[in-house]
Amino acid sequence: MSDSHGEDYSLETNVAAASDAHNTQLRQTLRNMEHAGVCCHPHHLHSFQPVHFHLLSALKKCACCHERLQTFGGAAQVVCVACGAMAHRVCAMSSSIWKDVCPVNATKVNHEIIEPKITHQPAVSVEENQDHHFTRAFSNVKNAIGKTLSSHPETTTPPEGNNHSLSLHHQFSSVARVLQEHIMEQFRKHDTEDSSYVDVGEESFSRLGTTAVVVVGGIAGGVAGLALAAGPAMAMAGAVGILAESSVSVGVLVAGVATGSLTARQIQQERQRQRILTMGDEGMSQKILLVRPNIQMDPIWDTITAQAYASRPNCSRDHHRDVDIVKTAEDEIPTEEKVLLLVSRLLNDKYSLPGHMYRALIQAFRDRCTERASAAGRFRRDDAHAIIKHITATLLQVRAEFSASPYLTERTASAVETLVLGQIYTLVWDEILVETADQDEALKQKVTQFNLLEYDENGTHVFVSDKIPSKLERNVSQAALAAIRQLPQCHTTADKLTSCVQFLQHISEHFAAMDGQLLLSAESLLQMVCQHLWICMSLHAAELHAEITFLEEFARDEQLLRGREGYALVTLQAALHFLDNSTDIDHVFGTEDDDDDDVNDDDTFENVPENGY
Amino acid sequence: MNSNIGPSSPAASRVHHFKLVLLGDTAVGKSCLVVRFVRDEFFEFQEPTIGAAFLTQTVQLDDAMVKFEIWDTAGQERYRSLAPMYYRGASAAIVVYDITNPDSFAGAKSWVKELQRRGDPNVVIALAGNKADLEGRRKVEFEEAAAYAAENGLLHLETSAKNSNNVKALFVEIAKKLPKNPPQPEREAFPIMPQQPEKQGCC
């Protein structure tokens, strides 16, 4: 491959250059998938999945170390979906201490092919072989999972007479469903987003290989299907980075450190957009945005997270005491509050892994703010996103319940966000204030200038006033002004959005009471919102641009786009945009246009039955 | 296909949520249309709204329940540039014109064009000719609007917010056309799962 291939070349080189034992595992796993249709660990050949609870564990021994397993307490366990053997999770991760291989998978996999001969080939051959295998494995896996992809025929169409597809499908069915979802998601991404490999033959291999490494690296590095509820032992830093950034169900796929760091870097470089968690079966998956797509997180947070993890406390935490929250009736404590309570309890427990990570990352954030006190830009917000992401990922790995559904994962992320912002709000807010100072100042100047004038009965500006223009006093809802003035006291997006909704509702109710109207149309509402914001700016030193910027920064898309909160935020954004671009006060208050001045225009519902249109 | 408003059948548990935005020039009756749709069909569990600007209403189809989250927009020209903020992420849009006002039909065409250019590529667009009860003052022929709608792949109905004619049908037709992905439950219980302590290491 030529140098002209730029990034592809470097990525491929990276992949090939990482010709250590770990990469060997990746290739071997790929080859097993391709040739035997078995998704298994390349050395001991087991297809392990986590065991959350197994009543008969105490009757079984670890297939690796042969120590007796425990039903309650003890180390996390896994079970091979092929032969049923159980093992400690840590044993399952180890390649070197296994003496026996999975008897079921061994009949399907020719053990000869997994010998790491390929790693001793010259670099060029390694790449070619690797690409070849990645390509074919990619093709087979796609066929196996029933995808109809329209990409390059060389990379997607199985060879004539290829009889691996069915068996591969069968084998993948036996592997953790969540792992399949991850694989499907990865290939879906390629199918829909990465057109480069569709259009170029050999050049596509590196990207394809990268994806294959991402997918299969998780398998080889961390044993297929070892999943979230198994505890934090495998929550290695690199894996956390991958899981939260590559459209993987968090905690579903646990990779080894080497694979984790490699793929995390690649994803960081190549797939900034992919920070959406996808959960559920194909076709019914729901995406949960954990990190906004435009956020550029400093890779140093991978290191900070790894260091925090390395210094984790050894004390165990008994989750059973959470039963008092979990088993309380829903009408007593709604699910949303249960999530917040549980997350809060976990993060406040410094002996829990999430609690430890929470403290360590918050401290790291503060240290970075001190070190970079003079730095301009938005690094504090990016760092805040990184903290929220890593802590959420840790929580999801430690507590399976939090990832039981997209809704719960969403609530978990919101709870983390609330608690994290509660700690670092002032630092983040200060950064936003600096950024929006000019906009807020310009609007204040405009308001001050216009407020020097007031109308007489002939509509002429006559005297100076810094109060609400007398003609408008009747239109002003004091409750709405109070609601908007609450924004600075709210330190989370949820609280701020609640205030925004109240603001709009008070305006709506005020006019309903004042004019006997039932409902205010969007046209009238927007005009009144503009006027109230104007008055708010003139009476108080409101930093409205900063408030909206904060909400745009930290409200996830569901909040931004949906529900009353979404409508309130969009209306405030629109009103502020309108005020920023207004050139005179008549434009704001609609006094230049009689049609616009009347909130009872014919677009308001109440006029219909009486006056027709 | 039968359709009802509000949760009245066992299928009520399968609720599909969609954001629907109302677009059109000022005074064509956007708010009237949506309020007629929402208020005429009393829904016991009606959620709080923000005037007529933000409303919700549910349509019961044979196989699914569709819950519309209806965003009204300001149609005045001076607010025109703000519209994209509102229709971002909308699954459906009703572009309203006044059959007695040809300018509003021209405006509707520009709204459709803007939606097609800047909105979600899969957005379901319905063209509603409102004030159909004012037949004597008609300035926009049904055939003309229907031909335009057919040409652009839009749903087209003439409605009357005054006498409710076709108002419910408009929303039902949109509901039928929207893709029904498997819904998530409105509320769900927190799962109770056996836990493993966080203690690490073995062997």
Side-chain angles (χ1 to χ4, degrees):
Chain A
M1 190 170 289
S2 71
D3 289 344
S4 62
H5 292 148
E7 186 182 9
D8 287 342
Y9 177 82
S10 63
L11 282 170
E12 184 174 7
T13 307
N14 282 343
V15 172
S19 57
D20 51 44
H22 198 86
N23 252 10
T24 304
Q25 290 186 347
L26 306 187
R27 287 192 291 273
Q28 287 171 350
T29 305
L30 274 172
R31 296 171 75 186
N32 289 348
M33 291 165 65
E34 178 190 2
H35 293 295
V38 175
C39 183
C40 63
H41 192 282
H43 286 275
H44 53 63
L45 301 184
H46 287 286
S47 299
F48 279 126
Q49 284 189 278
V51 183
H52 305 318
F53 179 77
H54 199 296
L55 193 60
L56 302 179
S57 289
L59 302 178
K60 293 177 177 282
K61 290 183 178 178
C62 173
C64 175
C65 67
H66 302 297
E67 287 186 6
R68 193 165 296 283
L69 301 170
Q70 297 176 35
T71 300
F72 298 103
Q77 299 156 15
V78 293
V79 62
C80 175
V81 295
C83 69
M86 296 184 71
H88 294 111
R89 189 184 51 196
V90 171
C91 293
M93 284 192 66
S94 171
S95 300
S96 58
I97 59 177
W98 283 82
K99 295 174 183 174
D100 304 317
V101 297
C102 172
V104 177
N105 284 344
T107 61
K108 299 170 185 172
V109 177
N110 177 2
H111 211 171
E112 292 296 317
I113 67 169
I114 66 171
E115 293 302 321
K117 293 175 184 175
I118 195 167
T119 58
H120 304 300
Q121 299 295 320
V124 172
S125 299
V126 168
E127 290 176 20
E128 288 172 351
N129 265 320
Q130 171 184 298
D131 289 340
H132 171 71
H133 286 294
F134 284 156
T135 306
R136 291 184 60 188
F138 174 76
S139 171
N140 283 349
V141 169
K142 281 195 301 184
N143 291 322
I145 59 182
K147 293 288 294 174
T148 53
L149 304 177
S150 56
S151 47
H152 193 284
E154 286 184 23
T155 63
T156 60
T157 307
E160 287 293 332
N162 183 349
N163 57 3
H164 290 309
S165 297
L166 287 177
S167 63
L168 191 60
H169 190 196
H170 173 72
Q171 289 301 328
F172 266 81
S173 296
S174 70
V175 178
R177 183 174 63 86
V178 285
L179 178 61
Q180 295 178 56
E181 288 167 8
H182 168 60
I183 293 169
M184 287 190 290
E185 184 61 25
Q186 287 294 329
F187 290 136
R188 185 185 299 120
K189 287 275 185 285
H190 264 279
D191 200 32
T192 57
E193 294 177 8
D194 195 349
S195 59
S196 61
Y197 83 88
V198 174
D199 298 327
V200 283
E202 189 176 339
E203 188 179 12
S204 70
F205 290 159
S206 63
R207 287 176 182 270
L208 183 61
T210 301
T211 293
V213 169
V214 172
V215 174
V216 182
I219 301 167
V223 185
L226 281 178
L228 64 169
M234 296 178 67
M236 299 178 187
V240 174
I242 299 169
L243 299 174
E245 291 180 12
S246 61
S247 299
V248 185
S249 299
V250 165
V252 163
L253 191 62
V254 182
V257 171
T259 309
S261 59
L262 172 65
T263 49
R265 277 201 307 276
Q266 290 165 348
I267 293 164
Q268 187 79 19
Q269 292 165 359
E270 240 191 357
R271 297 179 177 279
Q272 287 297 328
R273 294 179 54 218
Q274 297 180 19
R275 295 201 175 93
I276 298 169
L277 303 181
T278 302
M279 307 185 76
D281 294 329
E282 189 184 17
M284 59 174 290
S285 61
Q286 289 217 354
K287 292 184 176 178
I288 297 172
L289 203 65
L290 189 60
V291 179
R292 298 289 297 279
N294 60 324
I295 304 302
Q296 182 86 23
M297 281 183 294
D298 192 330
I300 197 171
W301 283 98
D302 294 332
T303 308
I304 293 172
T305 305
Q307 289 169 348
Y309 180 78
S311 63
R312 67 194 180 279
N314 289 322
C315 304
S316 63
R317 183 182 185 277
D318 182 7
H319 293 303
H320 291 96
R321 71 194 185 106
D322 295 339
V323 166
D324 59 338
I325 297 174
V326 174
K327 290 197 173 178
T328 304
E330 291 294 315
D331 55 352
E332 210 169 323
I333 305 179
T335 300
E336 186 175 336
E337 288 180 29
K338 282 184 182 177
V339 173
L340 181 60
L341 288 170
L342 287 170
V343 170
S344 178
R345 180 180 278 183
L346 272 164
L347 296 190
N348 283 323
D349 180 359
K350 64 182 178 183
Y351 296 113
S352 73
L353 180 66
H356 168 75
M357 301 288 279
Y358 174 66
R359 281 165 178 73
L361 298 190
I362 294 285
Q363 187 56 48
F365 175 86
R366 290 187 172 132
D367 292 344
R368 276 170 61 79
C369 288
T370 306
E371 291 164 9
R372 306 176 65 182
S374 59
R378 46 165 295 124
F379 87 90
R380 291 183 184 181
R381 278 165 283 175
D382 292 343
D383 284 0
H385 285 292
I387 294 174
I388 293 167
K389 181 198 77 172
H390 284 293
I391 293 175
T392 304
T394 306
L395 265 171
L396 295 181
Q397 288 186 327
V398 169
R399 295 298 299 267
E401 301 100 311
F402 291 134
S403 57
S405 73
Y407 169 78
L408 287 172
T409 307
E410 176 85 24
R411 299 321 312 164
T412 303
S414 293
V416 171
E417 179 185 284
T418 298
L419 295 167
V420 168
L421 287 177
Q423 294 286 327
I424 62 175
Y425 177 82
T426 307
L427 291 166
V428 172
W429 178 252
D430 288 346
E431 183 183 78
I432 293 175
L433 273 185
V434 170
E435 183 180 281
T436 58
D438 289 346
Q439 290 173 286
D440 277 322
E441 185 56 32
L443 186 55
K444 281 172 196 168
Q445 291 287 341
K446 186 186 288 187
V447 168
T448 304
Q449 183 184 349
F450 290 160
N451 280 356
L452 294 176
L453 308 171
E454 191 166 298
Y455 300 101
D456 64 9
E457 291 179 352
N458 300 319
T460 308
H461 300 143
V462 287
F463 71 98
V464 175
S465 170
D466 60 354
K467 297 179 181 177
I468 299 172
S470 56
K471 284 183 70 175
L472 293 175
E473 277 184 347
R474 176 175 170 271
N475 292 349
V476 175
S477 164
Q478 293 298 333
L481 287 180
I484 202 73
R485 288 175 65 184
Q486 279 295 313
L487 282 176
Q489 277 77 52
C490 303
H491 289 187
T492 65
T493 53
D495 290 345
K496 285 182 187 289
L497 286 171
T498 301
S499 286
C500 293
V501 171
Q502 288 173 349
F503 172 61
L504 262 58
Q505 283 182 324
H506 285 308
I507 290 177
S508 177
E509 289 163 6
H510 180 76
F511 281 91
M514 190 175 72
D515 289 342
Q517 292 184 54
L518 295 175
L519 296 168
L520 197 66
S521 70
E523 222 137 359
S524 304
L525 179 70
L526 186 55
Q527 182 176 332
M528 296 308 139
V529 168
C530 288
Q531 293 178 8
H532 277 74
L533 292 186
W534 184 276
I535 291 163
C536 187
M537 289 294 280
S538 63
L539 296 181
H540 320 288
E543 278 106 6
L544 293 174
H545 288 92
E547 295 288 359
I548 298 299
T549 301
F550 180 89
L551 286 171
E552 290 170 347
E553 181 75 37
F554 289 104
R556 271 185 298 284
D557 274 15
E558 277 299 299
Q559 288 170 303
L560 282 171
L561 293 173
R562 300 286 180 181
R564 291 179 302 156
E565 289 78 8
Y567 191 84
L569 177 56
V570 167
T571 302
L572 283 172
Q573 286 174 314
L576 207 52
H577 181 78
F578 184 75
L579 291 178
D580 285 339
N581 293 286
S582 294
T583 51
D584 64 54
I585 195 167
D586 291 334
H587 199 215
V588 176
F589 292 99
T591 49
E592 88 287 13
D593 183 352
D594 289 339
D595 291 340
D596 297 344
D597 194 30
D598 184 7
V599 297
N600 290 311
D601 63 24
D602 58 0
D603 202 22
T604 306
F605 178 65
E606 290 61 45
N607 295 338
V608 174
E610 297 165 9
N611 308 323
Y613 296 99
Chain B
M1 183 182 284
N2 295 326
S3 62
N4 297 302
I5 307 291
S8 57
S9 75
S13 58
R14 299 188 58 199
V15 181
H16 304 267
H17 294 253
F18 295 104
K19 173 181 170 181
L20 183 149
V21 63
L22 283 165
L23 297 168
D25 288 355
T26 187
V28 295
K30 296 188 297 294
S31 302
C32 304
L33 202 61
V34 67
V35 173
R36 174 66 74 188
F37 169 61
V38 172
R39 289 298 165 98
D40 268 12
E41 305 285 352
F42 181 69
F43 183 12
E44 186 181 357
F45 303 105
Q46 189 74 51
E47 293 175 4
T49 63
I50 302 171
F54 176 86
L55 298 145
T56 58
Q57 181 59 290
T58 308
V59 174
Q60 176 70 62
L61 303 177
D62 283 346
D63 54 349
M65 177 172 277
V66 171
K67 183 174 181 180
F68 285 116
E69 188 177 275
I70 305 165
W71 291 38
D72 191 12
T73 63
Q76 291 173 3
E77 188 57 35
R78 59 181 170 161
Y79 297 133
R80 178 73 186 240
S81 65
L82 309 176
M85 297 182 185
Y86 286 87
Y87 62 66
R88 186 171 67 104
S91 303
I94 299 178
V95 179
V96 187
Y97 68 94
D98 174 358
I99 67 159
T100 69
N101 181 355
D103 289 343
S104 73
F105 183 58
K109 287 180 179 177
S110 73
W111 282 112
V112 170
K113 194 173 178 182
E114 181 176 335
L115 263 179
Q116 289 172 334
R117 196 176 68 248
R118 300 178 64 179
D120 188 307
N122 300 316
V123 65
V124 174
I125 305 175
L127 184 65
N130 200 25
K131 308 188 185 182
D133 54 290
L134 302 178
E135 185 60 39
R137 291 161 55 186
R138 177 186 287 276
K139 295 282 175 34
V140 180
E141 295 304 322
F142 177 85
E143 291 74 17
E144 180 188 1
Y148 172 77
E151 189 182 323
N152 287 275
L154 318 175
L155 287 169
H156 175 244
L157 277 90
E158 287 195 342
T159 59
S160 169
K162 187 173 183 180
N163 63 22
S164 291
N165 188 38
N166 268 348
V167 174
K168 179 178 159 188
L170 175 68
F171 286 88
V172 170
E173 287 304 312
I174 294 170
K176 289 178 184 174
K177 206 171 175 183
L178 286 165
K180 313 293 189 303
N181 292 324
Q184 290 296 312
E186 289 274 314
R187 288 186 56 170
E188 55 187 282
F190 196 83
I192 299 171
M193 298 172 70
Q195 289 300 316
Q196 300 240 355
E198 289 177 12
K199 188 175 179 179
Q200 301 155 39
C202 80
C203 309

